[in-house]
């Protein structure tokens, strides 16, 4: 028994080998999924570029550095969130490890006590006891006691093995979390270096282009082109979203039909089983009566097991992954956004400097609102929806667009940082960007626009400013 205990408690040390962390695998999967969505949007942007004359724009020279600064800031924010979550996970794992250690220590003491008591009792085996010629009642009692002790030892050993395996799993998970923290720390160092480099590059570009940017901002023709570019993007996005929402609706209906077919098959199978059980019971009763009349013993036949029907090739719990063909669909019940009219939260805390319909220099009227705010101020989604655009655009800088369903879009421009990816689902009030002055805009803040069916509408009747 002592040898068995020693074997049970022995835990071999696994040799460390370079391996990919779970975080790296999940990150690679997310990037692969986003690549498919981005491919569709890149084709859309190329289509817009072909429809306008490529006149040189001073702000275009800022595009690369402004996008790089946005990406670096977003990465740093995501890494900080990951770091906090991983540290919390490490704390939980440490607590679990301490509990397991206490349980194992108590089980070892209990097992040692059982072995000691068995040794003191003489460690008689069952054959010796049966051949001892002692009182049968005492022999029976002792055999039962030995059986109880053996069962207790077996249960204790099984529980100990389970806990030791849990300790190994906990240690592996803890090591994975530590590896992930090291990955995060390295990525943070890399992103901070990129951010400092791009900020210096951007500052130098702005200084060199300052006078040119000021003069171009006042050109009516340029403002008109910016407005047309926005409308072109929104029109194309609206068509793409419409196609994707139709595809998503078809998929939803297909899943509902599968679920209904499974439910129907389950009910039919239950009804058949009940009918069969009643028929079998009636048959048993008939055979029993006949056997009783003939004065013969009755042996009931074994019950027949009915096979469950197979409805579809995929399990009921399987939820289809969101593909690039449905990634932009809002996935909200019809009328959700309209029901929030007049109660939508403001996208940013700041001062409204330009309202919908107001004249913009010598160019077209504002089709949205400009809200002054310090650089880095949180920009929040006004309502639930899905990100359908998150990229730099001439005239609007780092811009993010949210699809709220029902062909309603909210647009957020001039951002310093875009914190979400295309295809991400967002809640009302969720931070999606930070305010800035990208795209050659002279003041820090947020350009906010609301559109329905591709046309701009006054946000004042929808949002509580």
């Amino acid at each position: 028994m002592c040898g068995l205990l020693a074997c049970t408690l022995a835990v071999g040390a696994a040799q460390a080998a370079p391996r990919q962390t779970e975080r790296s695998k999940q990150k690679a999967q997310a990037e692969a999924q986003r690549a498919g969505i981005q491919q569709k949007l890149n084709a859309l942007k190329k289509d817009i570029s072909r429809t306008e004359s490529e006149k040189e724009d001073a702000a275009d020279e800022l595009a690369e550095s402004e996008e790089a600064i946005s990406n670096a800031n977003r990465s740093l924010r995501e890494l900080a969130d990951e770091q906090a979550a991983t540290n919390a996970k490490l704390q939980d794992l440490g607590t679990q490890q301490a509990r397991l250690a206490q349980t194992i220590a108590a089980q070892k003491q209990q097992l040692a006590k059982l072995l000691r008591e068995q040794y003191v009792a003489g460690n008689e085996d069952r054959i010796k006891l049966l051949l001892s010629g002692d009182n049968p009642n005492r022999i029976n009692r002792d055999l039962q006691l030995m059986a109880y002790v053996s069962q207790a030892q077996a249960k204790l050993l099984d529980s100990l093995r389970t806990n030791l395996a849990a300790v190994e799993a906990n240690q592996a998970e803890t090591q994975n979390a530590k590896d992930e923290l090291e990955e995060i720390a390295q990525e943070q160092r890399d992103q901070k270096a990129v951010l400092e480099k791009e900020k210096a590059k951007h500052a130098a570009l702005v200084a060199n282009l300052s006078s040119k940017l000021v003069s171009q901002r006042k050109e009516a023709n340029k403002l008109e082109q910016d407005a047309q570019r926005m409308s072109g993007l929104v029109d194309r996005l609206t068509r793409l979203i419409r196609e994707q929402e139709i595809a998503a609706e078809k998929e939803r209906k297909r899943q509902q039909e599968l679920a209904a077919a499974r439910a129907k098959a389950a009910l039919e199978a239950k009804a058949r089983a009940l009918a069969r059980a009643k028929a079998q019971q009636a048959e048993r009763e008939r055979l029993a009566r006949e056997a009783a009349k003939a004065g013969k013993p009755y042996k009931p036949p074994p019950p027949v097991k009915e096979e469950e029907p197979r409805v579809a090739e995929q399990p009921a719990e399987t939820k289809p992954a969101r593909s690039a063909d449905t990634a932009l669909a809002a996935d909200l019940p019809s009328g959700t956004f309209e029901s929030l009219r007049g109660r939508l939260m403001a996208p940013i805390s700041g001062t409204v400097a330009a309202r919908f319909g107001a004249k913009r220099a010598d160019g077209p009227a504002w089709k949205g609102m400009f809200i002054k705010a310090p650089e880095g101020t949180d920009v929040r989604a006004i309502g639930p929806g899905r990100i359908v655009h998150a990229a730099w655009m001439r005239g609007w800088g780092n811009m993010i667009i949210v699809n709220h369903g029902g062909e309603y879009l909210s647009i957020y421009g001039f951002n310093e940082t875009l914190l979400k990816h295309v295809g991400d689902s967002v809640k009302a009030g969720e931070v999606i960007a930070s305010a800035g002055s990208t795209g050659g805009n002279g003041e820090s803040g947020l350009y906010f626009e609301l559109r329905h069916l591709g046309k701009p509408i006054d946000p004042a009747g929808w949002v509580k400013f």
Side-chain angles (χ1 to χ4, degrees):
M1 184 59 74
C2 290
L4 176 60
L5 175 61
C7 291
T8 304
L9 300 182
V11 180
Q15 292 183 347
R19 60 187 180 87
Q20 189 182 27
T21 63
E22 285 302 315
R23 173 181 174 271
S24 298
K25 293 175 187 175
Q26 291 169 4
K27 195 171 180 181
Q29 288 172 357
E31 286 172 357
Q33 187 179 11
R34 283 197 290 266
I37 303 168
Q38 199 58 48
Q39 191 174 2
K40 286 183 175 290
L41 294 179
N42 287 341
L44 185 146
K45 286 172 75 176
K46 284 179 183 177
D47 189 28
I48 293 172
S49 299
R50 283 197 295 269
T51 61
E52 64 174 20
S53 57
E54 288 296 330
K55 182 183 174 184
E56 184 184 354
D57 191 303
D60 288 355
E61 296 186 41
L62 301 174
E64 187 180 342
S65 65
E66 287 179 347
E67 281 188 295
I69 288 170
S70 173
N71 291 339
N73 275 325
R74 182 183 63 236
S75 294
L76 284 169
R77 189 155 179 158
E78 289 173 350
L79 289 167
D81 290 343
E82 281 190 76
Q83 193 172 47
T86 308
N87 276 321
K89 183 180 177 181
L90 268 175
Q91 286 184 345
D92 289 343
L93 287 169
T95 303
Q96 291 173 20
Q97 186 79 342
R99 277 201 302 266
L100 283 169
Q102 287 179 349
T103 303
I104 288 171
Q107 287 176 329
K108 285 180 179 178
Q109 288 180 353
Q110 193 178 353
L111 189 57
K113 183 181 177 183
L114 281 172
L115 292 172
R116 189 166 52 251
E117 287 174 353
Q118 190 173 8
Y119 176 77
V120 170
N123 198 25
E124 290 183 303
D125 60 29
R126 288 175 174 80
I127 301 298
K128 285 183 179 178
L129 195 59
L130 286 169
L131 299 176
S132 64
D134 204 346
N135 184 297
N137 290 329
R138 180 181 176 277
I139 291 173
N140 185 48
R141 187 177 62 250
D142 288 350
L143 284 172
Q144 285 184 344
L145 182 61
M146 290 174 72
Y148 292 146
V149 170
S150 297
Q151 288 173 7
Q153 287 175 343
K155 286 181 181 178
L156 191 56
L157 284 170
D158 286 342
S159 177
L160 190 53
R161 287 190 190 99
T162 301
N163 284 330
L164 287 169
V167 166
E168 286 188 14
N170 182 286
Q171 287 172 343
E173 203 171 347
T174 300
Q175 186 57 51
N176 183 72
K178 287 178 179 178
D179 292 342
E180 288 179 354
L181 279 177
E182 287 178 13
E183 277 183 10
I184 292 169
Q186 183 56 52
E187 286 184 34
Q188 282 177 326
R189 288 191 290 270
D190 294 342
Q191 290 299 328
K192 282 177 181 176
V194 169
L195 183 60
E196 293 305 317
K197 179 183 174 183
E198 292 299 336
K199 279 187 173 180
K201 180 181 173 182
H202 185 261
L205 282 169
V206 169
N208 291 335
L209 297 169
S210 181
S211 59
K212 195 173 181 181
L213 287 167
V214 171
S215 63
Q216 283 195 349
R217 275 199 299 270
K218 295 177 181 177
E219 290 179 14
N221 186 47
K222 178 189 175 298
L223 297 177
E224 184 64 45
Q225 284 182 344
D226 291 345
Q228 289 175 0
R229 192 177 302 110
M230 172 74 83
S231 293
L233 173 65
V234 168
D235 288 345
R236 288 166 174 80
L237 273 175
T238 299
R239 285 198 296 271
L240 183 59
I241 290 166
R242 195 178 295 136
E243 291 169 6
Q244 295 214 349
E245 288 186 339
I246 290 170
E249 182 60 28
K250 284 181 180 177
E251 179 60 23
R252 274 195 295 271
K253 284 183 179 177
R254 191 181 75 84
Q255 291 298 321
Q256 286 170 359
E257 287 169 2
L258 279 175
R262 291 189 189 101
K264 183 181 178 183
L267 284 173
E268 289 173 351
K270 190 174 180 181
R272 282 197 304 271
L274 186 60
R276 190 176 187 85
K278 284 182 179 178
Q280 287 179 346
Q281 180 62 27
E283 179 65 11
R284 280 196 293 270
E285 289 173 359
R286 186 186 68 80
L287 292 173
R289 285 194 300 271
E290 288 180 357
K293 284 180 183 179
K296 296 178 181 180
Y298 168 66
K299 185 179 179 182
V304 179
K305 187 178 179 183
E306 189 168 307
E307 227 180 273
E308 288 292 327
R310 294 184 181 180
V311 181
E313 72 283 353
Q314 58 188 113
E317 294 79 8
T318 300
K319 188 176 179 181
R322 181 170 284 270
S323 70
D325 293 326
T326 58
L328 306 184
D331 248 3
L332 292 169
S334 178
T336 298
F337 190 73
E338 285 178 326
S339 69
L340 298 171
R341 184 169 185 166
R343 297 183 290 117
L344 295 167
M345 67 177 301
I348 195 170
S349 178
T351 305
V352 177
R355 293 187 178 275
F356 179 86
K359 195 70 174 172
R360 187 180 181 190
D362 295 326
W366 285 91
K367 294 182 179 179
M369 307 175 78
F370 178 65
I371 306 164
K372 286 184 182 179
E375 192 171 277
T377 304
D378 284 345
V379 175
R380 300 176 184 275
I382 60 168
R386 193 170 297 278
I387 305 297
V388 295
H389 181 276
W392 191 94
M393 187 174 184
R394 183 193 281 188
W396 307 101
N398 290 320
M399 184 174 71
I400 200 161
I401 301 178
V402 180
N403 172 26
H404 300 286
E407 299 200 25
Y408 284 96
L409 301 177
S410 57
I411 301 168
Y412 313 77
F414 302 155
N415 299 290
E416 178 195 42
T417 304
L418 305 178
L419 298 173
K420 296 293 180 180
H421 298 278
V422 171
D424 286 351
S425 178
V426 294
K427 299 175 184 176
E430 188 171 348
V431 178
I432 57 174
S434 62
S437 56
T438 56
N441 192 46
E443 293 180 283
S444 175
L446 172 72
Y447 174 72
F448 174 71
E449 193 174 300
L450 197 58
R451 293 205 177 211
H452 182 227
L453 299 171
K455 306 298 180 185
I457 56 177
D458 189 355
W462 290 75
V463 181
K464 296 186 297 182
F465 286 102

